[in-house]
Amino acid sequence: MNIKKTVKALLIINGLQFVAAFLLWLVIGSQVLGRVNPAIYLTIGIMLLSSLLTIMGLYMASRYQNDSYRESMKNLENLNLKLRAQRHDYMNHLQVIYGLLELGEYEDAREYMEPVFKDITRVTRAMKTSQPAVNALLQAKMESAEKKGVDMIVEVGTPLKEIPLEPWELCKLLANLIDNGITALEEKEGEKKLAVEIRQDSRFYTFAVRNNGPAIPEEHQALIFKQGFSTKKEEGHGTGLAIVSQIVKEAKGEISLSSDEKETCFAIRLPR
Protein backbone atom coordinates (compact mmCIF):
# COMPACT_ATOMS: atom_id res chain seq x y z
CA MET A 1 0.00 0.00 0.00
CA ASN A 2 1.28 3.47 -0.89
CA ILE A 3 0.80 5.33 2.39
CA LYS A 4 1.55 8.73 0.88
CA LYS A 5 -1.19 8.36 -1.75
CA THR A 6 -3.62 6.99 0.85
CA VAL A 7 -3.09 9.97 3.15
CA LYS A 8 -3.51 12.38 0.22
CA ALA A 9 -6.77 10.69 -0.83
CA LEU A 10 -8.12 10.82 2.72
CA LEU A 11 -7.23 14.49 3.00
CA ILE A 12 -9.16 15.24 -0.21
CA ILE A 13 -12.19 13.17 0.87
CA ASN A 14 -12.36 14.78 4.31
CA GLY A 15 -11.81 18.20 2.80
CA LEU A 16 -14.80 17.72 0.48
CA GLN A 17 -16.86 16.39 3.38
CA PHE A 18 -15.99 19.46 5.44
CA VAL A 19 -16.96 21.84 2.60
CA ALA A 20 -20.25 19.97 1.98
CA ALA A 21 -21.20 19.99 5.66
CA PHE A 22 -20.30 23.68 5.98
CA LEU A 23 -22.41 24.63 2.95
CA LEU A 24 -25.32 22.54 4.25
CA TRP A 25 -25.04 24.30 7.60
CA LEU A 26 -25.12 27.71 5.87
CA VAL A 27 -28.13 26.77 3.72
CA ILE A 28 -30.13 25.46 6.66
CA GLY A 29 -29.17 28.45 8.78
CA SER A 30 -30.14 31.06 6.20
CA GLN A 31 -33.31 29.53 4.70
CA VAL A 32 -35.08 27.67 7.46
CA LEU A 33 -33.73 29.29 10.59
CA GLY A 34 -35.92 28.55 13.59
CA ARG A 35 -37.94 25.83 11.83
CA VAL A 36 -35.39 22.99 12.05
CA ASN A 37 -34.81 20.68 14.98
CA PRO A 38 -31.67 21.82 16.87
CA ALA A 39 -30.43 18.22 16.72
CA ILE A 40 -29.79 18.69 13.00
CA TYR A 41 -27.59 21.70 13.70
CA LEU A 42 -25.74 19.66 16.34
CA THR A 43 -25.26 16.74 13.95
CA ILE A 44 -23.86 18.97 11.22
CA GLY A 45 -21.63 20.72 13.75
CA ILE A 46 -20.23 17.35 14.86
CA MET A 47 -19.60 16.42 11.21
CA LEU A 48 -17.71 19.68 10.70
CA LEU A 49 -15.61 19.14 13.84
CA SER A 50 -14.91 15.51 12.94
CA SER A 51 -13.78 16.39 9.43
CA LEU A 52 -11.61 19.24 10.69
CA LEU A 53 -9.91 17.04 13.31
CA THR A 54 -9.38 14.27 10.75
CA ILE A 55 -7.79 16.71 8.29
CA MET A 56 -5.47 18.05 10.99
CA GLY A 57 -4.52 14.53 12.10
CA LEU A 58 -3.78 13.35 8.57
CA TYR A 59 -1.76 16.48 7.87
CA MET A 60 0.39 15.96 10.99
CA ALA A 61 0.83 12.27 10.17
CA SER A 62 1.90 13.19 6.64
CA ARG A 63 4.47 15.65 7.95
CA TYR A 64 5.76 13.09 10.45
CA GLN A 65 6.06 10.51 7.68
CA ASN A 66 7.86 12.92 5.35
CA ASP A 67 10.40 13.73 8.07
CA SER A 68 11.01 10.01 8.55
CA TYR A 69 11.41 9.49 4.81
CA ARG A 70 13.95 12.30 4.60
CA GLU A 71 15.94 10.80 7.46
CA SER A 72 15.84 7.35 5.86
CA MET A 73 16.97 8.74 2.51
CA LYS A 74 19.85 10.54 4.19
CA ASN A 75 20.93 7.30 5.87
CA LEU A 76 20.65 5.43 2.55
CA GLU A 77 22.79 8.02 0.80
CA ASN A 78 25.44 7.78 3.53
CA LEU A 79 25.44 3.98 3.32
CA ASN A 80 25.79 4.12 -0.47
CA LEU A 81 28.75 6.49 -0.16
CA LYS A 82 30.30 4.19 2.42
CA LEU A 83 29.97 1.15 0.15
CA ARG A 84 31.37 3.04 -2.84
CA ALA A 85 34.33 4.22 -0.76
CA GLN A 86 34.97 0.67 0.44
CA ARG A 87 34.87 -0.67 -3.11
CA HIS A 88 37.26 2.05 -4.25
CA ASP A 89 39.72 1.34 -1.44
CA TYR A 90 39.43 -2.44 -1.56
CA MET A 91 42.08 -2.98 -4.26
CA ASN A 92 44.43 -0.50 -2.63
CA HIS A 93 44.20 -2.36 0.68
CA LEU A 94 44.86 -5.68 -1.04
CA GLN A 95 47.93 -4.26 -2.77
CA VAL A 96 49.35 -2.96 0.51
CA ILE A 97 48.72 -6.26 2.30
CA TYR A 98 50.16 -8.26 -0.59
CA GLY A 99 53.27 -6.08 -0.56
CA LEU A 100 53.76 -6.57 3.17
CA LEU A 101 53.38 -10.34 2.80
CA GLU A 102 55.88 -10.39 -0.07
CA LEU A 103 58.37 -8.63 2.22
CA GLY A 104 57.67 -11.10 5.00
CA GLU A 105 56.19 -8.40 7.25
CA TYR A 106 53.43 -10.64 8.54
CA GLU A 107 52.84 -8.78 11.79
CA ASP A 108 52.61 -5.44 9.99
CA ALA A 109 50.17 -7.00 7.52
CA ARG A 110 47.99 -8.25 10.37
CA GLU A 111 48.00 -4.86 12.12
CA TYR A 112 47.16 -3.13 8.84
CA MET A 113 44.30 -5.53 8.16
CA GLU A 114 42.62 -5.22 11.60
CA PRO A 115 40.93 -1.79 11.16
CA VAL A 116 40.11 -2.53 7.52
CA PHE A 117 38.48 -5.83 8.42
CA LYS A 118 36.60 -4.22 11.31
CA ASP A 119 35.23 -1.52 9.00
CA ILE A 120 34.08 -4.05 6.37
CA THR A 121 32.54 -6.31 9.03
CA ARG A 122 30.58 -3.43 10.56
CA VAL A 123 28.93 -2.58 7.24
CA THR A 124 28.26 -6.27 6.47
CA ARG A 125 26.52 -6.81 9.82
CA ALA A 126 24.15 -3.94 9.08
CA MET A 127 23.08 -5.27 5.68
CA LYS A 128 21.37 -8.53 6.57
CA THR A 129 17.73 -7.44 6.26
CA SER A 130 15.58 -6.96 3.17
CA GLN A 131 14.76 -3.42 4.34
CA PRO A 132 17.29 -0.95 2.82
CA ALA A 133 16.17 1.84 5.17
CA VAL A 134 16.79 -0.38 8.22
CA ASN A 135 20.21 -1.42 6.90
CA ALA A 136 21.14 2.23 6.40
CA LEU A 137 19.87 3.17 9.85
CA LEU A 138 21.89 0.44 11.58
CA GLN A 139 25.02 1.50 9.72
CA ALA A 140 24.50 5.15 10.67
CA LYS A 141 23.92 4.27 14.33
CA MET A 142 27.05 2.09 14.47
CA GLU A 143 29.13 4.98 13.19
CA SER A 144 27.48 7.36 15.68
CA ALA A 145 28.13 4.92 18.53
CA GLU A 146 31.77 4.51 17.52
CA LYS A 147 32.33 8.27 17.59
CA LYS A 148 31.02 8.33 21.17
CA GLY A 149 33.23 5.47 22.30
CA VAL A 150 30.42 2.89 22.38
CA ASP A 151 31.10 -0.64 21.15
CA MET A 152 27.89 -1.43 19.25
CA ILE A 153 27.20 -4.99 18.13
CA VAL A 154 24.39 -5.87 15.72
CA GLU A 155 23.05 -9.41 15.34
CA VAL A 156 20.41 -9.88 12.63
CA GLY A 157 18.68 -13.24 12.32
CA THR A 158 15.78 -12.36 10.03
CA PRO A 159 15.33 -10.52 6.71
CA LEU A 160 12.19 -8.76 8.09
CA LYS A 161 10.28 -9.50 4.89
CA GLU A 162 6.78 -9.75 6.40
CA ILE A 163 7.01 -7.44 9.39
CA PRO A 164 3.69 -5.61 10.02
CA LEU A 165 5.27 -2.15 10.07
CA GLU A 166 6.06 0.43 7.45
CA PRO A 167 9.86 0.82 7.03
CA TRP A 168 9.79 4.38 8.33
CA GLU A 169 7.96 3.27 11.49
CA LEU A 170 10.43 0.43 12.05
CA CYS A 171 13.31 2.88 11.65
CA LYS A 172 11.75 5.22 14.20
CA LEU A 173 11.36 2.33 16.63
CA LEU A 174 14.95 1.13 16.29
CA ALA A 175 16.45 4.62 16.17
CA ASN A 176 14.84 5.69 19.43
CA LEU A 177 15.82 2.50 21.26
CA ILE A 178 19.42 2.73 20.05
CA ASP A 179 19.69 6.45 20.78
CA ASN A 180 18.32 5.80 24.27
CA GLY A 181 21.00 3.16 24.83
CA ILE A 182 23.80 5.41 23.58
CA THR A 183 22.57 8.25 25.81
CA ALA A 184 22.54 5.91 28.83
CA LEU A 185 26.22 5.16 28.23
CA GLU A 186 27.40 8.75 27.83
CA GLU A 187 28.51 9.24 31.42
CA LYS A 188 29.65 5.66 32.06
CA GLU A 189 33.31 5.09 32.88
CA GLY A 190 35.18 2.21 31.30
CA GLU A 191 33.84 -0.17 28.67
CA LYS A 192 30.63 0.89 26.94
CA LYS A 193 28.66 -1.86 25.22
CA LEU A 194 25.45 -1.73 23.21
CA ALA A 195 23.94 -4.82 21.58
CA VAL A 196 21.08 -4.90 19.07
CA GLU A 197 19.43 -8.24 18.31
CA ILE A 198 16.78 -8.74 15.60
CA ARG A 199 15.25 -12.20 15.30
CA GLN A 200 12.05 -14.06 14.47
CA ASP A 201 10.28 -17.31 15.27
CA SER A 202 7.07 -18.89 14.03
CA ARG A 203 4.89 -16.27 15.76
CA PHE A 204 6.88 -13.13 16.51
CA TYR A 205 9.55 -10.73 15.38
CA THR A 206 11.72 -9.87 18.39
CA PHE A 207 13.96 -6.86 18.95
CA ALA A 208 16.28 -6.48 21.92
CA VAL A 209 18.52 -3.50 22.64
CA ARG A 210 20.91 -3.99 25.57
CA ASN A 211 23.44 -1.72 27.20
CA ASN A 212 25.75 -2.02 30.21
CA GLY A 213 24.95 1.45 31.48
CA PRO A 214 23.57 2.38 34.90
CA ALA A 215 20.45 0.61 36.13
CA ILE A 216 17.09 2.33 35.74
CA PRO A 217 15.48 2.73 39.19
CA GLU A 218 12.37 0.60 39.72
CA GLU A 219 10.24 3.67 40.44
CA HIS A 220 11.15 5.02 36.98
CA GLN A 221 10.57 1.82 35.04
CA ALA A 222 6.77 2.13 35.22
CA LEU A 223 6.93 5.73 33.95
CA ILE A 224 9.68 5.58 31.34
CA PHE A 225 7.29 5.05 28.39
CA LYS A 226 5.12 8.03 29.36
CA GLN A 227 5.23 11.12 27.14
CA GLY A 228 7.55 13.75 28.62
CA PHE A 229 9.14 11.54 31.27
CA SER A 230 12.94 11.61 31.33
CA THR A 231 15.76 11.17 33.79
CA LYS A 232 17.69 13.89 31.91
CA LYS A 233 17.35 17.52 32.91
CA GLU A 234 18.09 18.92 29.46
CA GLU A 235 15.26 19.79 27.08
CA GLY A 236 14.49 17.44 24.20
CA HIS A 237 14.29 14.24 26.21
CA GLY A 238 11.21 12.26 27.18
CA THR A 239 9.66 11.58 23.78
CA GLY A 240 11.70 8.75 22.22
CA LEU A 241 10.46 5.85 24.32
CA ALA A 242 6.90 7.21 24.21
CA ILE A 243 7.10 7.06 20.40
CA VAL A 244 8.39 3.47 20.61
CA SER A 245 5.56 2.49 22.94
CA GLN A 246 2.94 4.00 20.62
CA ILE A 247 4.33 2.24 17.52
CA VAL A 248 4.39 -1.10 19.35
CA LYS A 249 0.87 -0.60 20.66
CA GLU A 250 -0.52 0.19 17.19
CA ALA A 251 1.18 -2.95 15.81
CA LYS A 252 -0.47 -5.00 18.61
CA GLY A 253 2.93 -5.90 19.98
CA GLU A 254 4.50 -6.00 23.43
CA ILE A 255 7.38 -4.10 24.99
CA SER A 256 9.21 -4.95 28.20
CA LEU A 257 12.06 -3.52 30.23
CA SER A 258 14.53 -5.22 32.55
CA SER A 259 17.32 -3.35 34.27
CA ASP A 260 19.92 -4.10 36.92
CA GLU A 261 23.51 -3.11 37.69
CA LYS A 262 24.88 -5.35 34.92
CA GLU A 263 22.51 -4.67 32.02
CA THR A 264 19.47 -2.77 30.82
CA CYS A 265 17.38 -4.41 28.11
CA PHE A 266 14.42 -3.17 26.10
CA ALA A 267 12.68 -6.10 24.40
CA ILE A 268 9.91 -5.90 21.81
CA ARG A 269 7.74 -8.60 20.28
CA LEU A 270 5.66 -7.93 17.18
CA PRO A 271 3.23 -10.54 15.81
CA ARG A 272 4.02 -11.91 12.37
Side-chain angles (χ1 to χ4, degrees), residues 90-102 108-109 112:
Y90 186 64
M91 186 58 68
N92 293 332
H93 290 317
L94 284 179
Q95 289 174 345
V96 172
I97 294 168
Y98 180 79
L100 290 171
L101 293 174
E102 281 284 297
D108 288 340
Y112 181 89

Side-chain angles (χ1 to χ4, degrees), residues 4 32 36 49 58 64 68 82 85 97 102 105 123 144 158 173 176 181 212 223 232 237 247-248:
K4 191 172 183 179
V32 290
V36 177
L49 180 61
L58 289 171
Y64 175 76
S68 300
K82 185 75 174 178
I97 294 168
E102 281 284 297
E105 303 291 345
V123 176
S144 176
T158 170
L173 186 152
N176 280 298
N212 66 334
L223 303 172
K232 301 291 182 180
H237 296 283
I247 292 174
V248 172

Side-chain angles (χ1 to χ4, degrees), residues 205-220:
Y205 288 100
T206 59
F207 304 83
V209 179
R210 298 182 171 87
N211 71 78
N212 66 334
I216 300 174
E218 289 187 11
E219 61 270 22
H220 291 169

Side-chain angles (χ1 to χ4, degrees), residues 225-253:
F225 297 108
K226 301 291 185 182
Q227 181 71 33
F229 178 82
S230 174
T231 57
K232 301 291 182 180
K233 295 181 179 180
E234 299 88 351
E235 293 184 2
H237 296 283
T239 59
L241 292 178
I243 291 173
V244 171
S245 179
Q246 183 63 29
I247 292 174
V248 172
K249 181 180 179 181
E250 291 177 355
K252 297 180 172 57

Side-chain angles (χ1 to χ4, degrees), residues 103-116:
L103 296 172
E105 303 291 345
Y106 304 115
E107 185 62 25
D108 288 340
R110 185 189 67 80
E111 291 179 359
Y112 181 89
M113 188 60 189
E114 276 187 0
V116 176

